[in-house]
Each structure stands twice: as C-alpha cells, then as structure tokens.
Amino acid sequence: GAGVSQSPSNKVTEKGKDVELRCDPISGHTALYWYRQSLGQGLEFLIYFQGNSAPDKSGLPSDRFSAERTGGSVSTLTIQRTQQEDSAVYLCASTQGPGLAGSYATYEQYFGPGTRLTVT
Amino acid sequence: QKEVEQDPGPLSVPEGAIVSLNCTYSNSAFQYFMWYRQYSRKGPELLMYTYSSGNKEDGRFTAQVDKSSKYISLFIRDSQPSDSATYLCAMTVKAAGNKLTFGGGTRVLVKP
C-alpha cells in the first residue's frame, strides 16, 4: 500500500514568510507525528496526534509553530514568520497507535520522505 | 547534555566486516529501544526494536540492551555496501503516547 507522503518535497522561502507543510499518513493509522531534523542532527520531536485526543504539543519550539489534523487523517504544520534557524528537514510519521501491552507494532513509526525547508 | 548520545561517525568499514554501533542514555524510564536506518534524503525506516534488557537477532542484525548501564548496541554482520546509511537509535518510555527520543545518528560507510 501507499506509504506516508509529504508535500512539498522542497520549500525555499524568505525570512518572515509563513509556510505550510502537508503530511498524508498511511490509511488507517491513528497516530501522527511531526519531527524536525537539522543538518547532521537527530530527529527532534515537535507534535503528536492520537485519534481524537488533544495533541501533545510539548516539542513545538515556539508559538510560531502550529499543526492541525483534519478528519483524523491529513495534517498540516504551519510555521509563521519563518526564521533562518527554522531551516531543516521536517519529517512526518504515522503508526497504528497504542495497542495492547506488548504489541511492538505501536512503536513502528513509518516516516515520509520529509520536506526540506530553506529560509533565506 | 542530550538525553540520548550517539557518536556521529563517520564509521568506515570494509565490506564483510562487523559494524558496531551504540548509544547511551540518561533517562532510566526508557523501556523500548529501536534502531532506525536512514538513507540520504529519505525518511528513517525501522530496523529493530527491543523491550527492556536483552538481545534480539534478525538476520544479519543483532540489537542489545543493557539497562543497568543505560547502553544499547546494534551489530551488523557481513556488512554490505547497501548498509551504508545513517543509523539512529530511538527510545521511548511507555506503550501509549509513544513519542520517540532519538540519538543524533551515526553515519556508516561500507567500502567494497
């Protein structure tokens, strides 16, 4: 089946502009995550959606960052008034969501190819 | 200090050698440990996962977890040029709401 898709694959924007990044998770996956990966760095957690529960926004670096998930499927990450330090690859992942105790599949996050954001 | 530490490499080995990767962590609450592989300009993909301490083997890959030392390892036997990638360790505390905490990744280069 289709994997996680993200668009655009690349985005170049001027400092101060707003950008929207889109993620289409795997059909049927209830959990969706956004991560940020700066050059040569590991993945930094941003936000997590699980079904109809309130999202875990604990990783968002500032109030310029926001995300929504419509209809329990597609998600959009919005960065307002972009800064040069926002330049990174933004990765989206989905999983089937929490399952029974010991169900390892809940930790198998399927990642999209990412959106490479460059702020000039 | 980062919650999960991983040597960035690069780690260069000849084809057929054993690749040894490791991570250390500070949060004793971590119970689930994963290794992801990431090729250039691609998203990470899960290689292996383990729960608590112990070893797990899958083909050429062996994952080890030593919770007493807060140390995890991944071994790749009979390495191939196609194993050249960045390897990221990841860990999480609980089954539900499973936000992953990643190491910085180790770049591996297997030379033919």
Side-chain angles (χ1 to χ4, degrees):
Chain A
V4 177
S5 61
Q6 293 186 245
S7 61
S9 56
N10 286 282
K11 177 72 176 178
V12 179
T13 190
E14 293 180 353
K15 177 182 174 181
K17 301 284 189 181
D18 298 351
V19 295
E20 286 189 352
L21 312 179
R22 177 187 168 103
C23 171
D24 283 89
I26 293 174
S27 178
H29 279 191
T30 60
L32 186 148
Y33 310 77
W34 283 98
Y35 294 90
R36 178 169 69 175
Q37 187 173 32
S38 302
L39 184 63
Q41 301 296 311
L43 277 69
E44 174 190 12
F45 167 77
L46 297 177
I47 188 169
Y48 160 61
F49 296 90
Q50 171 56 50
N52 296 321
S53 302
D56 177 354
K57 304 180 182 180
S58 61
L60 295 178
S62 77
D63 58 8
R64 296 186 296 105
F65 288 72
S66 63
E68 63 177 18
R69 188 177 185 194
T70 54
S73 182
V74 171
S75 177
T76 302
L77 177 69
T78 301
I79 308 173
Q80 296 178 312
R81 304 181 302 281
T82 52
Q83 303 295 311
Q84 288 185 333
E85 60 263 29
D86 299 334
S87 296
V89 176
Y90 289 82
L91 290 157
C92 173
S94 71
T95 85
Q96 293 176 339
L100 297 173
S103 175
Y104 290 165
T106 61
Y107 319 114
E108 185 166 1
Q109 297 195 6
Y110 293 84
F111 283 83
T115 294
R116 185 173 298 272
L117 175 66
T118 303
V119 181
T120 61
Chain B
Q1 186 180 2
K2 294 181 181 178
E3 208 167 4
V4 179
E5 296 280 358
Q6 188 176 4
D7 189 323
L11 179 62
S12 183
V13 300
E15 183 176 358
I18 295 175
V19 176
S20 176
L21 304 166
N22 59 76
C23 290
T24 59
Y25 62 94
S26 57
N27 186 351
S28 58
F30 286 137
Q31 296 192 76
Y32 302 89
F33 304 91
M34 287 133 283
W35 286 95
Y36 280 81
R37 178 176 62 194
Q38 185 176 25
Y39 291 113
S40 181
R41 294 186 176 267
K42 301 287 186 182
E45 58 179 336
L46 180 68
L47 275 178
M48 295 188 71
Y49 50 78
T50 54
Y51 170 68
S52 194
S53 287
N55 295 358
K56 186 174 183 179
E57 187 173 319
D58 184 2
R60 296 186 297 114
F61 299 90
T62 299
Q64 293 182 349
V65 174
D66 182 350
K67 289 191 69 179
S68 63
S69 302
K70 299 191 182 66
Y71 186 90
I72 70 171
S73 301
L74 177 71
F75 300 96
I76 308 173
R77 293 182 298 279
D78 188 25
S79 59
Q80 305 295 310
S82 59
D83 294 326
S84 298
T86 296
Y87 291 80
L88 299 145
C89 64
M91 43 200 81
T92 188
V93 171
K94 57 181 181 176
N98 46 330
K99 173 183 73 176
L100 299 183
T101 301
F102 282 85
T106 299
R107 192 159 68 90
V108 172
L109 177 62
V110 180
K111 296 183 176 180

